[in-house]
C-alpha cells in the first residue's frame, strides 16, 4: 500500500504532499491539471520494478509554496530541486497533461537529470488549427464531456466525484476551484510557455501516449511532439479521452511497460 508522506523542499519554502511505494530505480509520476486526490491505483503495476514517487504540485492538495513560483521556468526548476532533494538520480518520469508538460521542460532544460519519459497527453505545444481546449471557459459538465470517452462510464467507476450532502458539495467545489486556480498560473490563457523553442533538446527515450477521444489536448498534438522529439514513439489508445490511464488502464500500461522495459 502506498505511503502518504510530507517532504520539505528548499529549507521549508515548499511543503509537499506525496505518496511512495515500491523498490528499485526511481520513477516520478507528475499529475495533470485536474489534480490527484490519492495514489493512482494503476501505479501499483510499476512498483514491483520501481520506487514510485507521486507528489502533488504546489497549490494542489496539501502541497504549499505556489506563491513562490512565478512562471513555468520556476515550476520546472522546482521539480529539478525536488528530485535532488528526494535523492532521485535520473528518474524515469511519467507525466499526464500539465505534469507531462513539466516533465518535457525538465528534460529540455536539464537533459542529464532525467531518464526515460512517458508523456500522456502533454500540454506545451500550440496549433492554431487544433487549439487545446480552454478549460477555464467551461462549466464542469463541458469539461467532463471533453475529458472522457464515456462520461457515463467515468461516473459509474467513480472517476467523476458525485457529492451528495451540502457539505460534500461545498468541499468538492472548493477542491475543484483550488486545482483550477493552481493550474491557471501555468496554463492560462493558453498552455504555451515556449516549449517549442526547447523541445528539440530532449534526448532521452520518450513515449507519447494519447487517448483517441481526447477533447482537451487533441490527439493531433501527438505527431507534433513526435516530430519535435527525435526518436520518440507515439501510441494512440482507442476508447479513451484525456485520461487513458483511467479509462483504458490495461492498454495504456501495456504501452508504457513495453516502452520502459525494452
Amino acid at each position: 500500500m502506498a505511503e502518504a508522506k510530507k517532504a520539505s523542499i528548499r529549507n521549508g519554502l515548499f511543503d509537499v504532499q506525496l505518496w511512495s511505494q515500491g523498490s528499485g530505480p526511481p520513477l516520478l509520476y507528475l499529475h495533470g491539471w485536474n489534480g490527484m486526490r490519492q495514489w493512482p491505483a494503476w501505479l501499483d503495476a510499476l512498483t514491483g520494478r520501481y520506487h514510485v514517487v507521486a507528489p502533488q504540485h504546489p497549490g494542489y492538495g496539501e502541497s504549499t509554496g505556489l506563491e513562490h513560483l512565478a512562471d513555468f521556468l520556476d515550476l520546472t526548476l522546482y521539480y529539478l530541486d525536488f528530485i535532488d532533494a528526494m535523492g532521485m538520480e535520473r528518474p524515469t518520469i511519467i507525466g499526464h497533461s500539465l505534469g507531462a508538460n513539466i516533465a518535457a521542460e525538465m528534460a529540455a532544460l536539464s537533459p542529464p537529470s532525467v531518464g526515460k519519459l512517458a508523456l500522456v497527453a502533454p500540454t506545451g505545444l500550440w496549433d492554431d488549427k487544433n487549439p487545446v481546449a480552454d478549460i477555464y471557459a467551461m462549466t464542469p459538465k463541458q469539461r467532463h464531456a471533453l475529458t472522457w470517452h464515456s462520461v457515463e462510464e467515468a461516473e459509474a467507476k467513480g472517476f467523476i466525484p458525485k457529492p451528495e450532502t451540502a457539505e460534500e458539495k461545498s468541499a468538492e467545489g472548493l477542491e475543484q476551484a483550488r486545482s483550477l486556480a493552481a493550474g491557471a498560473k501555468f496554463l492560462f490563457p493558453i498552455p504555451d510557455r515556449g516549449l517549442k523553442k526547447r523541445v528539440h533538446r530532449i534526448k532521452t527515450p520518450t513515449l507519447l501516449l494519447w487517448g483517441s477521444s481526447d477533447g482537451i489536448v487533441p490527439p493531433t498534438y501527438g505527431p507534433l511532439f513526435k516530430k519535435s522529439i527525435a526518436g520518440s514513439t507515439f501510441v494512440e489508445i482507442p476508447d479513451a479521452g484525456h485520461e487513458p490511464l483511467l479509462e483504458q488502464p490495461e492498454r495504456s500500461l501495456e504501452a508504457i511497460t513495453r516502452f520502459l522495459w525494452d
Side-chain angles (χ1 to χ4, degrees):
M1 184 175 180
E3 182 181 3
K5 298 180 179 180
K6 286 287 187 72
S8 177
I9 308 299
R10 295 186 194 168
N11 296 317
L13 197 63
F14 299 88
D15 287 322
V16 188
Q17 179 186 16
L18 61 87
W19 292 267
S20 66
Q21 186 176 338
S23 59
L27 187 150
L28 175 66
Y29 172 65
L30 299 177
H31 67 77
W33 60 267
N34 52 340
M36 179 180 63
R37 310 291 181 87
Q38 58 190 6
W39 169 265
W42 59 265
L43 280 175
D44 288 342
L46 303 175
T47 58
R49 295 198 180 207
Y50 296 93
H51 174 220
V52 183
V53 177
Q56 293 263 34
H57 304 325
Y60 284 83
E62 297 179 20
S63 292
T64 67
L66 180 64
E67 68 275 14
H68 302 303
L69 304 175
D71 51 28
F72 221 109
L73 175 60
D74 281 354
L75 180 60
T76 304
L77 294 175
Y78 160 80
Y79 267 112
L80 289 170
D81 287 346
F82 176 86
I83 61 175
D84 286 344
M86 298 298 294
M88 303 177 78
E89 185 175 352
R90 287 186 56 81
T92 294
I93 305 179
I94 300 176
H96 171 239
S97 192
L98 168 61
N101 194 160
I102 298 168
E105 288 280 14
M106 292 170 70
L109 290 177
S110 185
S113 296
V114 303
K116 288 185 174 182
L117 297 180
L119 307 180
V120 183
T123 56
L125 298 184
W126 186 262
D127 178 8
D128 286 331
K129 295 179 180 179
N130 295 286
V132 174
D134 183 358
I135 59 174
Y136 296 99
M138 297 178 184
T139 65
K141 185 175 181 180
Q142 290 171 326
R143 285 195 293 271
H144 293 327
L146 294 181
T147 296
W148 305 99
H149 174 73
S150 171
V151 174
E152 293 77 13
E153 288 189 17
E155 288 178 336
K157 293 178 179 179
F159 300 147
I160 299 175
K162 300 290 285 185
E164 297 180 358
T165 67
E167 184 177 352
E168 289 174 346
K169 290 178 181 178
S170 176
E172 177 61 26
L174 179 61
E175 183 68 22
Q176 288 185 1
R178 290 184 70 249
S179 293
L180 284 168
K185 198 162 192 177
F186 312 106
L187 299 174
F188 183 83
I190 61 173
D192 178 359
R193 297 295 188 272
L195 177 61
K196 63 185 176 183
K197 302 174 184 178
R198 302 176 287 277
V199 67
H200 66 279
R201 289 173 46 82
I202 298 177
K203 305 302 181 185
T204 189
T206 302
L207 171 67
L208 304 161
L209 191 72
W210 246 274
S212 61
S213 302
D214 193 339
I216 301 294
V217 184
T220 53
Y221 281 87
L224 289 182
F225 270 92
K226 187 178 188 315
K227 182 178 179 181
S228 302
I229 303 174
S232 59
T233 301
F234 172 54
V235 175
E236 192 169 309
I237 303 297
D239 302 325
H242 191 58
E243 296 273 7
L245 281 158
L246 294 181
E247 288 192 290
Q248 296 293 337
E250 291 184 3
R251 291 174 178 171
S252 300
L253 281 168
E254 179 185 6
I256 288 175
T257 55
R258 187 188 320 121
F259 165 73
L260 294 182
W261 299 344
D262 278 350

